[in-house]
């Protein structure tokens, strides 16, 4: 690629990527998979614990449940009937979730493009980038996709919907807000919100044990503990003080709640949150729209102003299916 900057050529190159690679670009933005995992620090792909739905609309996250499934059989009632269903023995708990519109607007002025190209060419000359493998347009889109993915993962937890907002945290209500709202509305039963002392590096092991004690035994192999990194560090420090870094444990790198097979999963979007969230795998559901008419990517080259706009429209959201499958704590 020549060192000179030709905006028309760059716009054409960007349009080519947008036209031929639109599906790939959105798959990359939405695909919070193995590339976003960091096993060393307990961060996993979101698909390891959250269900994923590709949808352009609202969905019903229905949870079916059965109670009173078994009873003595073979005996006729006074009515002469043997079939004796218990009232409400089979029911559903419908919860709705929907995608919200997301705008991604980028303006590349001539000045910005000159800086970007110089950086790109410098990397090419140092052989850290092969321009036949990563052309300049892909170099630009890769930077956009990387930031969009990071912000989307954070929004799934920290988002508070505000249609007038300008931040990625305003695009939809994330799981943190939904969990707190569900505690107030009793969608998460009060018995699942366990009173503990304020968790510290001297009591974390004991306070976590209080929460786990209220998780039904039959659920222990089905749940995970979503946790902010700072709270996991507090737990590890308490564990280290209590048990030391003996060869039969993992010292300060605890990957499970002590005495259980419940894994700690660190989520960047939980930074600043003071509660652990224990929930069944796939109870949390993240939504995205990869293929409808509401998902679009356009390149707009303005010759008079000498700038290029990248205009993207997407949809995403999240929810959870069953509040009774969420356990957390509260402190006075």
């Amino acid at each position: 690629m020549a060192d000179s900057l030709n905006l028309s050529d760059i716009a054409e190159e960007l349009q080519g990527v947008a036209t031929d690679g639109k599906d790939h670009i959105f798959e990359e933005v939405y695909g919070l998979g193995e590339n976003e995992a960091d096993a060393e620090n307990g961060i996993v792909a979101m698909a390891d614990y959250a269900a994923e739905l590709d949808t352009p609309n609202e969905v019903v996250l229905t949870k079916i449940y059965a109670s009173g499934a078994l009873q003595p059989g073979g005996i006729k009632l006074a009515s002469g009937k043997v079939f004796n269903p218990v009232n409400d023995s089979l029911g559903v708990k419908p919860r709705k979730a929907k995608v919200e519109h997301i705008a991604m607007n980028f303006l590349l002025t001539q000045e910005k493009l000159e800086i970007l190209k110089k950086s790109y060419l410098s990397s090419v000359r140092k052989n850290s980038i092969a321009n036949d493998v990563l052309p300049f347009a892909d170099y630009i889109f890769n930077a956009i996709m990387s930031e969009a993915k990071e912000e989307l993962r954070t929004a799934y937890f920290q988002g508070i919907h505000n249609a007038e907002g300008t931040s990625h945290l305003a695009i939809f209500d994330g799981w943190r807000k939904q969990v707190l709202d569900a505690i107030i509305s009793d969608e998460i039963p009060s018995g699942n919100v366990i009173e503990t002392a304020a968790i510290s590096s001297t009591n974390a092991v004991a306070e976590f044990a209080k929460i786990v004690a209220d998780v039904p035994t039959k659920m222990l192999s089905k749940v995970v503990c979503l946790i902010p990194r700072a709270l996991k560090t507090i737990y590890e420090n308490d564990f280290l003080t209590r048990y030391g870094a003996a060869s039969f444990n993992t010292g300060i790198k605890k990957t499970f709640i002590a005495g259980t097979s419940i894994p700690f999963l660190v989520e960047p979007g939980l930074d600043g949150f003071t509660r652990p969230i224990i929930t069944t795998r796939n109870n949390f559901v993240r939504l995205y729209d990869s293929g409808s008419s509401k998902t679009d990517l356009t390149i707009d080259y303005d010759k008079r102003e000498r700038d290029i706009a990248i205009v993207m429209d997407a949809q995403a959201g999240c929810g959870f299916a069953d509040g009774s499958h969420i356990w957390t704590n509260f402190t006075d």
Side-chain angles (χ1 to χ4, degrees):
M1 176 180 287
D3 287 12
S4 60
L5 189 72
N6 187 315
L7 294 186
S8 178
D9 288 347
I10 293 173
E12 184 177 349
E13 187 180 349
L14 288 169
Q15 184 61 62
V17 174
T19 301
D20 298 333
K22 172 187 168 184
D23 291 344
H24 170 71
I25 289 169
F26 282 103
E27 284 174 5
E28 280 293 309
V29 171
Y30 294 138
L32 302 173
E34 294 303 325
N35 291 337
E36 286 63 55
D38 178 2
E40 182 70 13
N41 291 299
I43 301 172
V44 300
M46 295 189 85
D48 281 9
Y49 66 84
E52 301 177 351
L53 290 177
D54 190 344
T55 175
N57 298 307
E58 183 178 76
V59 295
V60 178
L61 306 176
T62 301
K63 182 71 177 181
I64 189 169
Y65 67 94
S67 60
L70 307 181
Q71 58 184 264
I75 300 175
K76 288 188 177 182
L77 306 178
S79 63
K81 296 181 178 180
V82 175
F83 182 64
N84 183 32
V86 178
N87 289 337
D88 297 323
S89 61
L90 190 65
V92 294
K93 295 179 179 179
R95 295 192 83 255
K96 293 182 179 179
K98 65 176 181 176
V99 290
E100 300 285 355
H101 178 255
I102 301 171
M104 291 181 273
N105 303 315
F106 304 93
L107 184 65
L108 300 173
T109 63
Q110 183 170 10
E111 180 182 8
K112 286 182 180 178
L113 283 167
E114 286 173 350
I115 294 172
L116 280 171
K117 191 171 184 185
K118 287 177 182 177
S119 175
Y120 171 77
L121 290 172
S122 175
S123 296
V124 169
R125 292 186 184 109
K126 293 176 182 176
N127 295 320
S128 58
I129 292 178
N131 61 358
D132 57 336
V133 175
L134 185 68
F136 186 49
D138 291 292
Y139 174 75
I140 293 173
F141 273 116
N142 280 4
I144 291 172
M145 289 185 291
S146 177
E147 181 63 19
K149 291 170 76 168
E150 183 177 323
E151 292 184 357
L152 182 60
R153 183 161 188 159
T154 303
Y156 275 125
F157 280 91
Q158 296 185 10
I160 298 177
H161 186 228
N162 176 9
E164 302 298 320
T166 58
S167 163
H168 66 283
L169 298 182
I171 56 180
F172 51 72
D173 285 344
W175 284 310
R176 282 168 50 161
K177 182 178 188 304
Q178 292 187 36
V179 166
L180 295 176
D181 288 348
I183 290 172
I184 295 172
S185 69
D186 286 331
E187 284 187 85
I188 297 175
S190 58
N192 288 26
V193 186
I194 295 89
E195 182 176 4
T196 69
I199 297 175
S200 71
S201 58
T202 60
N203 69 6
V205 172
E207 299 309 308
F208 269 73
K210 291 179 183 178
I211 304 171
V212 172
D214 281 334
V215 178
T217 302
K218 66 180 182 180
M219 305 296 289
L220 290 176
S221 64
K222 303 175 182 179
V223 297
V224 298
C225 180
L226 301 171
I227 192 169
R229 181 173 60 90
L231 192 54
K232 182 172 183 285
T233 299
I234 287 172
Y235 186 94
E236 290 168 339
N237 289 340
D238 186 32
F239 185 89
L240 181 61
T241 300
R242 290 170 182 267
Y243 304 112
S247 59
F248 54 80
N249 67 49
T250 54
I252 63 170
K253 289 186 178 180
K254 285 299 293 178
T255 54
F256 299 93
I257 298 177
T260 77
S261 61
I262 302 173
F264 286 120
L265 303 183
V266 174
E267 261 301 332
L270 284 174
D271 284 353
F273 203 56
T274 58
R275 306 185 191 214
I277 299 174
I278 295 176
T279 188
T280 47
R281 291 184 188 271
N282 296 326
N283 188 35
F284 279 16
V285 182
R286 71 183 191 94
L287 313 176
Y288 53 86
D289 174 16
S290 66
S292 80
S293 60
K294 297 178 182 177
T295 302
D296 195 24
L297 170 55
T298 302
I299 307 300
D300 179 24
Y301 172 38
D302 187 336
K303 293 183 178 180
R304 288 170 297 177
E305 296 296 330
R306 293 179 176 80
D307 56 38
I308 300 172
I310 300 175
V311 184
M312 303 174 69
D313 290 286
Q315 293 197 115
C318 64
F320 63 84
D322 190 347
S324 69
H325 285 189
I326 297 174
W327 295 266
T328 186
N329 73 317
F330 76 96
T331 60
D332 286 335

